[in-house]
Amino acid sequence: MRHVVVLGSGAAGLAAALGAARAGAEVTLAYPGEGIDASPGSTQLAQGGIAAALGPGDSPEAHALDTVAAGAGLVDKRAAEHLARRGAGEVEALLAAGFPADPGLSLEAAHRVARIVHAGGDRTGAALHRFLAGRVLEEPRIRHAPGTRLRSLVLRDGTVAGLDTADGTRLTGDAVVLATGGYCGVYPRSTGAPGAIGTGIVAAARAGALLADMEFVQFHPTVLEGTGHLISEAVRGAGAHLVDGEGRRFLFDTDPRGELAPRDVVSAGVCRALDAGPVWLDARHVPDLPGAFPGITARLAEAGIDWTRQLVPVAPAAHYSMGGVVTDLSGRTTLPGLYAVGEVARTGVRGANRLASNSLLEALVFGAAAGEASASAGEWVAPAVSGEFLDVALPGPGPDGDARDAIAAGLGVERTGEGIVRTLAALDGPGGDAASIGRLMAAAAQSRTESRGAHRRLDHPDTDPAQARPILLRATEGVTTC
Ligand code: SIN
């Protein structure tokens, strides 16, 4: 019987563990906390819902087309079609199994029809996590390895055969599924799990796996100023306005869609307005804020803000990382024995700009597929890739240097070549995962001399059709040899 090690207990890790167990494998599910619930990740924080083509007048083809359009020329069409088609089935199965969804489907920016499933209003991620965790705890083939922190992957004859942990133990298996999350935690302010600093991406790169799209980070425009507390796009969808100190809806100066323009456009507009003074979210006229958005209402109340009567100060913050370990539709990486799912992976469905509410769906679809694939032995066919290749020297492993400020300074919502060079110079000294991620991001951002999706270069404001290809990264120095 195959033994699969799944590292990470967010939606993608739980879906992978369930997929592998149902396909007949023995599974070790490893995570950093004492239990699944004590390992808080970005899934539990997700306020947006799960996109799925279930409603009348919708189809997986239409969902795939919206996914491709949002990704600004870099989405892999085949991956988007797979996500939309298998995703509709996965969500139908989830609902049939009793997932406590709210009634109806809602609409979000860049979706042509209402196709978002929510649960608990703005607490869909937490509801999905609870639901999947319950199923995992009932599955006898899944053993738990709490308190596991990844140090490096173990290679045997060029194949991943396990992982070494930070406390010096080793977990071995026939396959490893990485579900360790993304890298928004390398910014001083992010809406996801603060520990998400790309540890799995760095470990995979050091072991020889190929990465892509590292220059693309989605910044969410409405985050409570000075914090990482997200105020969902659904609030603007329900009619809230963004205003400057004079109460003016300034976003219409640059885009007729105003507050409902794509996320990168709104974030850039808010950034520029912040140069002149505070920016406020005005939701006072939106009916039943506490009923529709209970989580946000509670969080704002803790900060002393009653948003039914007061304006909310907001600023953009890092929200979702588009880049990661290159995979195929089954989560297979370029390294035999290694699968990657969830935000750690670069599946091809996000391109330069992930479509809202596709991430929980991606975790379900690619998590289940990777779990199933990892349960069967067979010839390893690596994902087919083409694009521009960059070799990047990673600093050696070590304690995390203070890379965050350098990353925020040169790799924010708007970038320049000079700023990126300064960030690269500042990251020359520190070792550790955040500095490694910063170097990978900066190398790709420097090479992409255009603006596309979430990558906005003030010195190259136009999109260059000749650069509509991914930037693929390989680690050179700092590579682990086992
Ligand atoms: C939000 O609720 O605004 C975020 C949704 C998402 O990023 O998918």
Side-chain angles (χ1 to χ4, degrees):
M1 183 182 296
R2 300 253 306 166
H3 178 211
V4 176
V5 178
V6 177
L7 185 62
S9 59
L14 298 179
L18 287 167
R22 285 181 191 149
E26 283 292 339
V27 179
T28 298
L29 178 63
Y31 39 81
E34 290 294 301
I36 300 180
D37 284 341
S39 297
S42 299
T43 295
Q44 291 97 314
L45 297 171
Q47 293 177 4
I50 314 170
L54 302 179
D58 200 4
S59 66
E61 291 72 29
H63 185 183
L65 283 174
D66 289 348
T67 301
V68 169
L74 290 190
V75 168
D76 173 344
K77 193 164 162 279
R78 220 168 49 95
E81 284 167 358
H82 172 74
L83 174 76
R85 203 173 321 109
R86 182 158 175 178
E90 289 286 341
V91 176
E92 254 169 11
L94 198 69
L95 297 174
F99 178 66
D102 298 338
L105 297 167
S106 44
L107 183 63
E108 275 181 13
H111 288 272
R112 70 185 66 194
V113 295
R115 63 164 72 99
I116 318 297
V117 175
H118 281 272
D122 55 7
R123 291 170 165 150
T124 310
L128 180 63
H129 192 263
R130 231 179 354 262
F131 192 78
L132 294 176
R135 297 176 121 195
V136 162
L137 291 170
E138 285 166 7
E139 178 52 69
R141 282 184 200 276
I142 301 178
R143 273 201 308 266
H144 292 243
T148 303
R149 288 183 187 280
L150 176 65
R151 196 184 65 194
S152 56
L153 294 167
V154 174
L155 289 170
R156 197 179 299 134
D157 301 327
T159 294
V160 173
L163 56 96
D164 283 336
T165 70
D167 65 7
T169 54
R170 178 167 281 192
L171 291 178
T172 54
D174 300 301
V176 171
V177 183
L178 278 181
T180 45
Y183 51 91
C184 284
V186 301
Y187 287 85
R189 288 193 313 109
S190 90
T191 63
I197 58 166
T199 301
I201 294 174
V202 175
R206 287 191 199 288
L210 195 64
L211 314 177
D213 296 344
M214 292 295 291
E215 67 274 39
F216 297 111
V217 171
Q218 193 167 66
F219 291 88
H220 200 290
T222 52
V223 179
L224 177 63
E225 217 284 316
T227 75
H229 303 325
L230 180 67
I231 301 168
S232 176
E233 192 165 286
V235 177
R236 277 172 285 130
H241 301 158
L242 278 163
V243 296
D244 61 18
E246 278 144 29
R248 214 171 59 81
R249 292 173 72 186
F250 57 90
L251 286 166
F252 286 95
D253 296 349
T254 46
D255 194 301
R257 292 166 291 184
E259 287 88 357
L260 292 181
R263 212 168 267 181
D264 56 321
V265 175
V266 179
S267 283
V270 171
C271 247
R272 260 174 251 135
L274 281 169
D275 288 341
V279 170
W280 307 92
L281 183 75
D282 185 355
R284 294 172 297 179
H285 53 283
V286 176
D288 190 23
L289 286 171
F293 305 105
I296 301 171
T297 303
R299 187 67 91 158
L300 290 176
E302 278 167 27
I305 299 170
D306 173 0
W307 67 331
T308 64
R309 294 186 304 111
Q310 290 170 286
L311 301 181
V312 183
V314 291
H319 177 59
Y320 195 90
S321 45
M322 260 79 76
V325 185
V326 170
T327 76
D328 69 5
L329 301 186
S330 298
R332 268 186 213 94
T333 70
T334 56
L335 200 57
L338 183 68
Y339 296 78
V341 292
E343 205 173 343
V344 70
R346 183 275 192 186
T347 57
V349 302
R350 305 169 197 152
N353 206 11
R354 175 189 60 97
L355 183 63
S357 285
N358 263 1
S359 50
L360 293 176
L361 184 73
E362 185 185 331
L364 290 172
V365 169
F366 286 82
E372 287 157 15
S374 66
S376 51
E379 197 197 341
W380 192 270
V381 181
V385 284
S386 65
E388 176 188 340
F389 281 83
L390 283 185
D391 289 326
V392 180
L394 298 186
D400 269 309
D402 194 8
R404 286 184 171 77
D405 290 341
I407 291 171
L411 296 164
V413 176
E414 294 182 315
R415 300 141 182 215
T416 62
E418 277 175 18
I420 295 167
V421 167
R422 276 198 297 276
T423 294
L424 271 170
L427 296 176
D428 218 11
D433 292 340
S436 298
I437 288 290
R439 289 189 69 78
L440 291 158
M441 291 166 66
Q446 187 178 35
S447 195
R448 188 170 288 288
T449 49
E450 63 160 351
S451 291
R452 182 181 293 277
H455 173 69
R456 295 183 152 243
R457 292 265 310 239
L458 295 177
D459 49 349
H460 293 282
D462 297 326
T463 301
D464 171 10
Q467 296 190 48
R469 46 50 181 149
I471 295 179
L472 302 152
L473 301 118
R474 285 178 296 222
T476 50
E477 286 162 46
V479 172
T480 317
T481 44
C482 304

